[in-house]
Amino acid sequence: MKPPLPPPSPYYRNYATLREIETRLKSIKNIEKITKTMKIVASTRMGKAQRAIAASRVYTEGDYEFFGVSETKAPEEQEKTLIIAITSDKGLCGSIHSSIAKTARRKLAEIPNADVVTIGDKIKVQLLRTNAQNVVLSFNGIGKEAPSFYESSLIADEIAKLGKYDRVEVLYNKFMSSVAFEPTYVDAFTAESIDASTKLSTFEVDEESGSTSGLAQYSLANTILAAMSEGYASEIAARRNAMDNASNNAGDMINKYSILYNRTRQAVITNELVDIITGASSLG
Amino acid sequence: MFRQSLRSLARVNKFAGVRTYAEAANSDVLKLSLALPHTAIYNNKAITQVNVPGASGEMGILANHVPIVEQLKPGVVEVIEEAGSTKYFISGGFVNVLPNSKVNISTVEAFKLEDFSAEKVKTLLAEAQKNAASADEAVSAEANIQIEVLESLQAAGVH
């Protein structure tokens, strides 16, 4: 009596069947369609995002010119620092969010007791993994559309409720060009640092109406808005590039798999012919 | 380089009243940037005078104004150019005048005065006055802000 055959090993490999290659090819084609569409969507948003940056740069320039003339500086000794890190909720845009997370981590290694406010889910998830004790407040649902002053003033309002900080820094991706971005820190000056500016006496400041604290609040909202617009444009540009690369790679894979598909089909036909001919000749 | 420019400045002063381009680019011409978060209405444009609704009172700013920083309340910004004047109603914000005769006005919203509808202002005002008497503190505070804005709109002569 013959011993029974061993069961087929699960690791047993065979040449891919025609059907398998076909499904694979179809799914890559679908992925290519999706990435292409996402690229087109990002491209159309790009123009709008760039216009938003141009407007917000003029808008914040006024603040910066004032801080420049009055020589406002952030305090040197890092007593109580707040870092506002800005990303968005959506991925599929290359290294844009992780570069912000990396920069924030480097800063937190320098100032381990700094507080962090995160804007956008991506940075929140990344920072909660390593620096959960530093994150004090987080926002999400931002960055679907070009940011507005309404959003940034609501955020600034919530941040003001956290209490006093000696230094507030906003971390965002500065839009350098449509292919380059740079994680950048910008200071949002507190009322105390504005009051302590060396050349503030150049200006006549109406102290009764509490101008400097009002100015500090307003400029925090402005700084956040400017940072959000820059971050938004960088993200859109990065997504367009990422999706462009993805579409190209999908195209390459489609080429490879169509060749493999045709070759396999040819092999199947040849095998069938061989079978038929051998069968016929053995009969004859 | 500085000495050279000083010399040329001295030469200009000798012919008082003679304006050169270099001088005009410096401080005798008022430059205005009126910017909203989403758009810039004026970007570093040369103008004659600008009137702003400061928190401590209305003020007119001409070239060589003392550098100031001031909060703005809701009101009319009047920009006077050689071609005539344009009135904008702004929602409040900040103005700063720099030592080189540059004025930066940043505000959240601004529209031309003629774009407002007087009837709409009237109905909104009536509604706000009703809400101001509300027992809910948040509602009445909001209504009071509305009243402040709408009354200054009426005072500005919307028609």
Side-chain angles (χ1 to χ4, degrees):
Chain A
M1 207 177 129
K2 268 202 284 182
L5 283 167
S9 155
Y11 304 108
Y12 176 69
R13 273 176 177 273
N14 200 345
Y15 285 110
T17 64
L18 206 54
R19 180 64 56 82
E20 274 167 2
I21 296 171
E22 202 183 353
T23 28
R24 191 88 192 263
L25 191 57
K26 262 187 196 157
S27 85
I28 296 169
K29 276 184 179 158
N30 282 339
I31 290 170
E32 193 202 24
K33 263 183 216 156
I34 295 169
T35 56
K36 262 192 182 157
T37 318
M38 285 180 80
K39 184 193 151 193
I40 291 165
V41 170
S43 304
T44 47
R45 284 190 180 164
M46 195 64 232
K48 209 177 157 192
Q50 264 172 321
R51 277 198 298 281
I53 284 196
S56 89
R57 278 186 182 163
V58 176
Y59 183 65
T60 43
E61 192 187 44
D63 283 357
Y64 290 139
E65 277 176 349
F66 163 66
F67 292 135
V69 171
S70 61
E71 297 189 355
T72 306
K73 282 196 187 72
E76 285 298 320
E77 70 270 26
Q78 289 161 336
E79 292 266 312
K80 206 176 167 202
T81 308
L82 178 71
I83 300 168
I84 304 171
I86 298 178
T87 63
S88 82
D89 297 348
K90 294 275 161 62
L92 292 180
C93 45
S95 64
I96 198 142
H97 299 317
S98 46
S99 66
I100 285 281
K102 246 183 238 165
T103 322
R105 278 194 201 116
R106 217 173 295 143
K107 191 82 172 182
L108 285 171
E110 274 172 42
I111 329 168
N113 61 347
D115 284 349
V116 181
V117 170
T118 60
I119 298 180
D121 276 342
K122 287 286 165 186
I123 179 82
K124 181 185 160 197
V125 169
Q126 296 210 16
L127 282 187
L128 278 182
R129 272 208 304 259
T130 53
N131 303 76
Q133 73 285 358
N134 296 94
V135 179
V136 288
L137 188 64
S138 37
F139 299 93
N140 66 359
I142 286 152
K144 283 188 192 111
E145 284 294 318
S148 70
F149 185 80
Y150 182 60
E151 287 172 347
S152 77
S153 59
L154 288 180
I155 292 170
D157 231 28
E158 288 297 319
I159 288 171
K161 282 183 199 156
L162 289 176
K164 283 232 175 294
Y165 285 93
D166 299 317
R167 184 171 191 175
V168 178
E169 286 184 278
V170 180
L171 170 62
Y172 67 101
N173 276 314
K174 192 172 175 60
F175 180 78
M176 311 297 274
S177 74
S178 57
V179 286
F181 60 88
E182 177 87 39
T184 312
Y185 282 104
V186 61
D187 270 302
F189 297 112
T190 57
E192 286 75 29
S193 20
I194 296 175
D195 280 334
S197 326
T198 43
K199 296 273 178 66
L200 187 66
S201 56
T202 319
F203 293 89
E204 267 183 24
V205 183
D206 185 14
E207 294 194 349
E208 278 167 30
S209 62
S211 264
T212 46
S213 73
L215 186 63
Q217 281 171 22
Y218 190 58
S219 106
L220 174 63
N222 291 349
T223 312
I224 291 175
L225 175 70
M228 284 194 332
S229 336
E230 297 262 348
Y232 178 72
S234 314
E235 186 194 319
I236 298 281
R239 177 165 298 127
R240 191 179 63 178
N241 294 336
M243 288 303 113
D244 191 32
N245 288 340
S247 310
N248 285 344
N249 291 343
D252 288 351
M253 279 177 86
I254 289 172
N255 281 344
K256 264 190 210 156
Y257 271 90
S258 336
I259 290 171
L260 182 64
Y261 175 75
N262 288 339
R263 202 173 276 163
T264 315
R265 195 187 54 179
Q266 204 63 53
V268 169
I269 293 169
T270 319
N271 274 344
E272 276 172 7
L273 277 179
V274 169
D275 284 352
I276 293 167
I277 293 166
T278 13
S281 60
S282 70
L283 286 177
Chain B
M1 203 179 90
F2 281 108
R3 198 176 300 153
Q4 209 171 18
S5 65
L6 261 179
R7 210 182 297 141
S8 69
L9 201 69
R11 206 178 302 140
V12 168
N13 279 348
K14 245 191 291 180
F15 311 102
V18 178
R19 298 264 301 256
T20 62
Y21 180 75
E23 191 192 12
N26 282 331
S27 69
D28 279 0
V29 169
L30 192 62
K31 292 270 190 59
L32 173 71
S33 287
L34 174 56
L36 316 182
H38 48 91
T39 173
I41 299 177
Y42 288 88
N43 187 5
N44 223 356
K45 192 159 183 260
I47 55 156
T48 320
Q49 187 190 340
V50 57
N51 299 337
V52 295
S56 58
E58 303 274 326
M59 51 183 169
I61 298 168
L62 286 163
N64 292 321
H65 193 277
V66 178
I68 53 157
V69 186
E70 172 123 9
Q71 196 159 356
L72 299 178
K73 51 185 189 188
V76 176
V77 167
E78 187 176 11
V79 181
I80 301 164
E81 291 169 273
E82 274 175 20
S85 81
T86 325
K87 285 181 177 177
Y88 293 92
F89 191 86
I90 64 159
S91 62
F94 272 89
V95 62
N96 60 54
V97 182
L98 301 172
N100 59 357
S101 281
K102 166 113 196 270
V103 185
N104 290 312
I105 301 175
S106 43
T107 174
V108 179
E109 277 298 354
F111 287 100
K112 283 191 176 165
L113 202 55
E114 61 256 32
D115 293 346
F116 288 93
S117 135
E119 284 124 62
K120 189 83 186 165
V121 171
K122 234 179 249 171
T123 50
L124 281 174
L125 190 58
E127 200 179 308
Q129 273 158 348
K130 216 180 344 166
N131 285 344
S134 157
D136 190 344
E137 238 171 70
V139 173
S140 77
E142 205 170 288
N144 278 325
I145 296 170
Q146 270 186 337
I147 291 174
E148 188 194 338
V149 176
L150 292 167
E151 278 180 346
S152 49
L153 252 175
Q154 272 190 334
V158 173
H159 43 78

